[in-house]
């Protein structure tokens, strides 16, 4: 009905999400190397948090990339990292995040991984929320 009118070209939130997640370059936080589609969100204090950053370049030329990430637990930064380089045409790169979680959690603490990236001239960001639980004592288990 509005095909030739201005109303036909409004981009709504669902359309923005599709454009953001189906672009020629992408960057996101994935599961660990052994199972990059894993969606683990619960971890124990003192344990390891293993995830990875994935970058995709589906453009027709080599692109420069840069990214930085931060891991927060209970609002406190426990790890961070950054990387710069080049990604080839039709390339996919994986960068591990391996963090030893604090052993001082009592009860439960909220955590978050924050990623800010640039592939070529396109900015990307992602967050991954998780929880850290106090390590259960052996007396509780028995």
């Amino acid at each position: 009905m509005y095909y030739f009118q201005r109303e036909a070209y409004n981009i709504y939130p669902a359309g923005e999400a599709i454009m953001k997640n189906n672009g020629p370059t992408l960057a996101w936080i994935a599961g660990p190397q052994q199972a990059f589609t894993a969606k683990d969100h619960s971890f124990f204090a003192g344990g390891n948090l293993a995830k990875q950053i994935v970058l995709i370049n589906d453009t027709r030329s080599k692109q420069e990339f840069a990214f930085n990430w931060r891991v927060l637990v209970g609002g406190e930064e426990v790890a961070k990292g950054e990387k710069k380089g080049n990604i080839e045409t039709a390339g996919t790169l994986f960068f591990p995040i391996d963090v030893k979680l604090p052993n001082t959690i009592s009860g439960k603490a909220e955590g978050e991984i924050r990623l800010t990236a640039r592939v070529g001239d396109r900015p990307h960001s992602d967050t991954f929320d998780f929880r850290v639980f106090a390590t259960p004592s052996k007396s509780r288990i028995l």
Side-chain angles (χ1 to χ4, degrees), residues 33-81:
Q33 182 179 1
Q34 305 83 354
F36 78 94
T37 59
K39 305 241 188 269
D40 303 354
H41 288 271
S42 297
F43 300 91
F44 285 116
N48 284 341
L49 169 68
K51 298 290 180 185
Q52 59 186 336
I53 306 293
V54 181
L55 302 178
I56 293 180
N57 174 20
D58 202 19
T59 67
R60 295 177 184 227
S61 62
K62 179 194 266 187
Q63 300 289 318
E64 291 183 350
F65 72 83
F67 67 84
N68 63 64
W69 56 269
R70 297 175 54 199
V71 177
L72 302 154
V73 175
E76 299 290 322
E77 184 176 274
V78 296
K80 65 181 178 178

